[in-house]
Amino acid sequence: MSRKNPNHIKNGSVAADVVIYAILLLLALICVYPMWYVIIMSISEPIHAQTLDVYLLPKGLYWGSYKDTLSDAKVWTAYYNTIIYAGVCCIGMLITCAMAAYPLTSPMLVGKKFWVIFILIPMYFGGGLIPTYIIMSKLGMYNSRWAIIFPGIVSMWYIILVRTYFATIPEDLRESARIDGANNFQILWNVYVPTSKPIFAVIAIYTIVAQWNSWFAASIYLTDEKLQPLQLYLRRLLILQQNLANQTQNGAGGTSDSEELAQKMILSADQLKYTMIVVATLPVMVVYPFLQKYFVKGVMVGSLKG
Amino acid sequence: MSTAVANKPKMSSEKKKMLFKDNLELYILLLPAVIVMLVYCYAPMFGYLIAFQDYTPGAGFWGPNTKWVGFYHFLRFYDSIFFGRLMSNTLWLSFLNLIWGFWVPIVFALLLNEVQHTGYKKCIQTASYLPYFISMVTACGMLISFIATNGLINRLIVALGGTAQPWRNIPGKFATIYVLMNIWKGFGFNSILYISVITSIDSSLYEAARLDGANRMQQVFHITIPSIIPTIAIMLIMAVGSLVNANTDMILLLYLPSTYETADVLGTYIYREGLTGGKFSFTTAIGMIQSIINFVLVFVANTISDVLTGAGLF
C-alpha cells in the first residue's frame, strides 16, 4: 500500500509537471524577452535594426550606436549625477536610520511613545505634492542637488525596520557596555551597528536601486540639465520625443511629408534608444541576481511588521 | 525600562544626571531624522492651509495678506466636470489592478512550488524579478516602442492575422495596458512573500495527506492554499488601503492628451494643473481630498488586519 501510493501520485503528475514547467518557462520568457530584444536590437547592423527583422539573435554586429551614446557628454553627466544621488542617499540613509532607530530602542528615552507616533504619522497622512513643492522651493532646493538628497536620506519605513532589528539585540549588551563606561554613541557604533550589518545591507541596496530608477522628484525640481539624473535623460529620449512624434503624426495639420519625416526619425532613433536603455540599465541587470537574497530578506523583514 | 522605573522613587541626583546625559545623547541621535521629517513631511501638512486660500506663489502659508476663501476650491472641484472623471478613473484603475494583479503572484508561487528541480526553480525566479529592477521610465519607454504601430506587438498581431493599431492612442485600451504593465513589473517580486510562506509549511502535513491517498491537486487545495490564506487576506486588505493611489508615476509616462478621458487620475491632474498650470490652491484642495480618503482607507485596512492577525502593520 505504502509503496503503491507514491507511485500513483507520480504517475498522475508527469503530464502536470510538463504543463507547469512550460507555463513557468513562458512567464520567465515574458519577463526577460523585452530586455533581450532591446539588447539584440542595440548591437545589430543598423539595416536590420531599421527593418525590424531582429527577433532571437542579433543580426550582424555593430557597435556604432554605443560609440555614439558613450561619446555624448550629456550621458556621462547624467551618469555622474545618478551615481552621486545614489551614493549620497545611501550613505545618508544608513546614518539617519541607525541614529534614529537607536534611541527608539533605548529604555532611557523620555517621550519614546511620542517619537514613535511622530515617525508613524507621515506613513498614514501625506503632505501633498503642491505644499511639498512650495516648501522645498522656499528653502532654495529648486534646481539644487539637495532636492533629491534631502528627502532621500530619511525613510520612516527603514527607521522602523532598523528599530525592529535593533530590538532583537539583547539589552545586556547595552548594559555591559554602559558599565564599561561607553556612551550611547560608542554603544551604537561598536555594538549595534556591527551586529546589524545584514539589515543595513538590505537598506543600502534598496536605496541605491530606488535612486537609480527614480525620476519623479527630479522631473519636478531639476530643470537644469547639468543636475539631472540618468532617468530624466532616458525620459526625454524614450517618452517625450515619442510623444512629440505622436502629436505630429496625429495632428490635424500634419501633412504626409512631415508624417514620413517623423516616421523616419522614430526608426533611426530606435537603435540609439535601445542602446541608451542598455547603457543605463546594465549595472542593475548585472548586479541584481547576486543580491537576490538581500531583496528577499528585505521583503521578509518588512512583512514581520515591527 | 525596569531600572528606570525601579529607581524613580528615590532617584539620586547622580542618577538624574545620568538620565539627562543619556537623553541628551539620544536626542542628538534623533535630531537629523526629525529635522528632515519636520521639513519634508510635517511642514507640507501645514501647507494644506493654502487649499482654503487664494494662494499667490511666493507668499507664506499664513499672513496678514492671506485671502481666505473657505471651501471654495473644494466646491469648485466637486462641481467641475473633472470630479467624476478623475474619481472614477482613479478608483477604476486601482480596482482593476487589484482584481487582476493580486492573484497572479499567488498562482505563480503555487506553480513554482511544484517544481522539484532546484536549478530550474532558481532560474525562473531570478527571471521573474527582472522587471522589478527595470526603471519605470525604461519600462514605459520599452512598452511605448513595442506597442507603436510598427512595434513588436503590432507585428506579432499582424503575423497572427490581426490588424495593427495605435494602442497607446486608444482611450478604451488604456486600462488594459496599465494593468498588464503593473502585473509584468510586479508579479515576480510580489510572489516572494507567498513563496517563503509556502516553503515554511510543515512537510509532515503533506506526508500525512499522501498517506491518506491525497493526490497533488488535493494537497494543493487542502494544505498549501489554506496555509497561505492568512497572508492573502493581509495583502488584500493592504491593497484596499491604496485604492485611491493609482500609479501616478506610470500614468504620467504612459498617457497622452488623447487618452486623458480614461487615463487621467487625481495624481496626474494635480501634477499637470498644479505644477505646470500653477493652480496651487485648487490642486492642493484636490490633494487634500485624496490624502483624507487615503488615510481613512489605510486606517481601516490596518485596523482590520490588526484584528485578524493580532499584530497588524506596526
Side-chain angles (χ1 to χ4, degrees):
Chain A
M1 187 71 184
S2 60
R3 271 187 66 188
K4 219 177 174 184
N5 257 339
N7 270 343
H8 190 71
I9 293 162
K10 222 177 184 182
N11 280 343
S13 50
V14 171
D17 262 339
V18 173
V19 173
I20 289 171
Y21 275 61
I23 294 175
L24 288 173
L25 185 66
L26 185 71
L27 283 173
L29 284 179
I30 291 172
C31 288
V32 174
Y33 181 72
M35 206 61 204
W36 176 246
Y37 179 78
V38 165
I39 293 172
I40 59 175
M41 279 286 279
S42 74
I43 56 176
S44 288
E45 290 281 359
I47 298 285
H48 296 290
Q50 277 185 37
T51 50
L52 300 164
D53 61 349
V54 183
Y55 292 105
L56 292 177
L57 290 169
K59 289 195 172 166
L61 205 58
Y62 172 75
W63 296 105
S65 51
Y66 281 89
K67 239 179 240 164
D68 275 7
T69 303
L70 294 180
S71 61
D72 185 352
K74 282 181 184 168
V75 172
W76 289 105
T77 310
Y79 231 100
Y80 169 79
N81 287 334
T82 291
I83 290 171
I84 293 280
Y85 296 137
V88 174
C89 287
C90 172
I91 293 166
M93 186 74 90
L94 293 180
I95 293 172
T96 60
C97 276
M99 285 175 76
Y102 177 84
L104 296 176
T105 55
S106 168
M108 298 300 174
L109 182 71
V110 174
K112 181 157 46 174
K113 186 134 193 138
F114 171 82
W115 291 112
V116 170
I117 292 171
F118 180 87
I119 287 170
L120 288 185
I121 286 177
M123 297 170 88
Y124 282 86
F125 195 72
L129 180 67
I130 304 296
T132 312
Y133 172 81
I134 292 173
I135 295 217
M136 297 288 280
S137 302
K138 271 191 194 266
L139 292 172
M141 294 198 214
Y142 188 80
N143 245 338
S144 138
R145 287 192 198 281
W146 288 107
I148 307 296
I149 293 168
F150 185 74
I153 57 170
V154 169
S155 154
M156 292 75 89
W157 267 110
Y158 294 158
I159 291 175
I160 302 277
L161 219 60
V162 176
R163 187 191 80 123
T164 311
Y165 203 95
F166 278 2
T168 63
I169 297 171
E171 197 54 40
D172 301 354
L173 278 179
R174 198 201 309 253
E175 279 310 309
S176 58
R178 191 190 297 279
I179 289 165
D180 290 345
N183 62 30
N184 283 302
F185 308 117
Q186 290 163 329
I187 297 172
L188 171 61
W189 184 249
N190 295 323
V191 180
Y192 279 70
V193 170
T195 35
S196 308
K197 271 182 196 152
I199 194 72
F200 286 122
V202 169
I203 291 173
I205 292 162
Y206 270 102
T207 308
I208 289 173
V209 172
Q211 282 300 331
W212 195 276
N213 287 341
S214 84
W215 67 278
F216 189 74
S219 84
I220 294 173
Y221 297 113
L222 305 178
T223 47
D224 184 354
E225 256 184 57
K226 289 199 189 75
L227 301 174
Q228 291 180 350
L230 214 41
Q231 296 300 328
L232 280 198
Y233 185 93
L234 271 174
R235 184 174 77 127
R236 271 200 305 279
L237 194 68
L238 302 177
I239 317 272
L240 299 182
Q241 258 182 35
Q242 196 77 26
N243 290 357
L244 215 65
N246 199 305
Q247 261 168 11
T248 47
Q249 249 177 329
N250 292 344
T255 62
S256 65
D257 235 22
S258 71
E259 207 171 289
E260 207 173 288
L261 200 74
Q263 197 72 20
K264 231 180 222 164
M265 202 179 78
I266 298 167
L267 279 179
S268 55
D270 259 358
Q271 195 165 20
L272 276 179
K273 276 185 208 165
Y274 290 158
T275 304
M276 190 58 213
I277 290 180
V278 176
V279 168
T281 316
L282 206 65
V284 182
M285 295 297 99
V286 171
V287 169
Y288 95 85
F290 303 100
L291 300 176
Q292 254 184 70
K293 64 168 184 177
Y294 291 108
F295 274 99
V296 173
K297 190 182 256 161
V299 171
M300 296 321 294
V301 179
S303 70
L304 288 181
K305 293 155 189 171
Chain B
M1 202 66 159
S2 56
T3 40
V5 171
N7 290 330
K8 214 170 193 174
K10 43 170 187 167
M11 199 189 272
S12 61
S13 66
E14 201 175 317
K15 272 264 154 58
K16 261 187 199 158
K17 228 169 151 184
M18 270 291 283
L19 192 69
F20 177 77
K21 182 179 159 278
D22 244 336
N23 269 284
L24 189 70
E25 290 171 3
L26 294 175
Y27 273 84
I28 289 171
L29 286 171
L30 266 179
L31 202 61
V34 168
I35 289 174
V36 173
M37 287 177 67
L38 275 177
V39 171
Y40 193 72
C41 305
Y42 282 94
M45 289 184 201
F46 184 64
Y48 275 129
L49 283 173
I50 69 170
F52 305 97
Q53 313 167 355
D54 263 336
Y55 179 77
T56 40
F61 291 154
W62 195 323
N65 297 323
T66 307
K67 223 173 106 193
W68 296 96
V69 294
F71 285 90
Y72 171 73
H73 294 296
F74 294 87
L75 293 173
R76 196 155 67 99
F77 177 57
Y78 183 75
D79 287 333
S80 77
I81 52 159
F82 289 107
F83 178 75
R85 185 172 102 174
L86 294 174
M87 276 297 184
S88 66
N89 281 348
T90 307
L91 291 172
W92 180 237
L93 287 176
S94 312
F95 176 73
L96 279 180
N97 209 20
L98 181 86
I99 295 298
W100 289 103
F102 100 94
W103 59 268
V104 178
I106 300 170
V107 171
F108 179 70
L110 289 173
L111 287 174
L112 207 63
N113 188 46
E114 297 301 310
V115 172
Q116 302 296 321
H117 193 283
T118 330
Y120 190 77
K121 193 173 175 176
K122 194 98 198 140
C123 283
I124 298 282
Q125 236 179 319
T126 307
S128 76
Y129 299 157
L130 176 75
Y132 181 84
F133 292 99
I134 295 176
S135 77
M136 194 58 89
V137 173
T138 308
C140 291
M142 278 158 64
L143 180 78
I144 289 169
S145 147
F146 292 163
I147 62 175
T149 28
N150 62 343
L152 204 55
I153 306 255
N154 270 317
R155 274 180 287 140
L156 183 72
I157 290 170
V158 170
L160 293 172
T163 43
Q165 291 199 53
W167 301 107
R168 199 178 163 216
N169 293 310
I170 307 173
K173 297 292 178 212
F174 185 84
T176 313
I177 293 171
Y178 172 79
V179 170
L180 285 176
M181 184 75 171
N182 269 310
I183 294 176
W184 181 76
K185 240 184 150 305
F187 85 89
F189 201 79
N190 293 336
S191 71
I192 291 176
L193 189 61
Y194 297 113
I195 290 168
S196 61
V197 173
I198 291 173
T199 323
S200 67
I201 296 173
D202 188 355
S203 59
S204 64
L205 287 174
Y206 290 103
E207 273 161 39
R210 270 198 291 272
L211 282 177
D212 288 342
N215 66 25
R216 200 172 187 175
M217 267 310 198
Q218 286 167 330
Q219 287 174 41
V220 169
F221 278 98
H222 290 106
I223 300 171
T224 315
I225 291 181
S227 312
I228 57 172
I229 280 206
T231 313
I232 294 175
I234 301 296
M235 297 309 273
L236 254 182
I237 293 164
M238 291 290 108
V240 170
S242 61
L243 211 51
V244 77
N245 282 330
N247 200 335
T248 308
D249 264 49
M250 188 189 287
I251 298 174
L252 273 177
L253 294 168
L254 283 182
Y255 78 165
L256 288 169
S258 55
T259 51
Y260 278 177
E261 57 175 290
T262 53
D264 203 11
V265 295
L266 290 170
T268 54
Y269 186 77
I270 293 169
Y271 180 90
R272 214 173 53 244
E273 291 296 315
L275 290 181
T276 326
K279 297 180 189 165
F280 283 171
S281 285
F282 181 55
T283 48
T284 301
I286 303 174
M288 194 170 171
I289 296 171
Q290 185 178 16
S291 284
I292 290 170
I293 301 175
N294 194 43
F295 170 76
V296 172
L297 286 176
V298 174
F299 193 80
V300 170
N302 279 359
T303 312
I304 295 174
S305 109
D306 272 3
V307 172
L308 282 184
T309 61
L313 194 54
F314 306 113

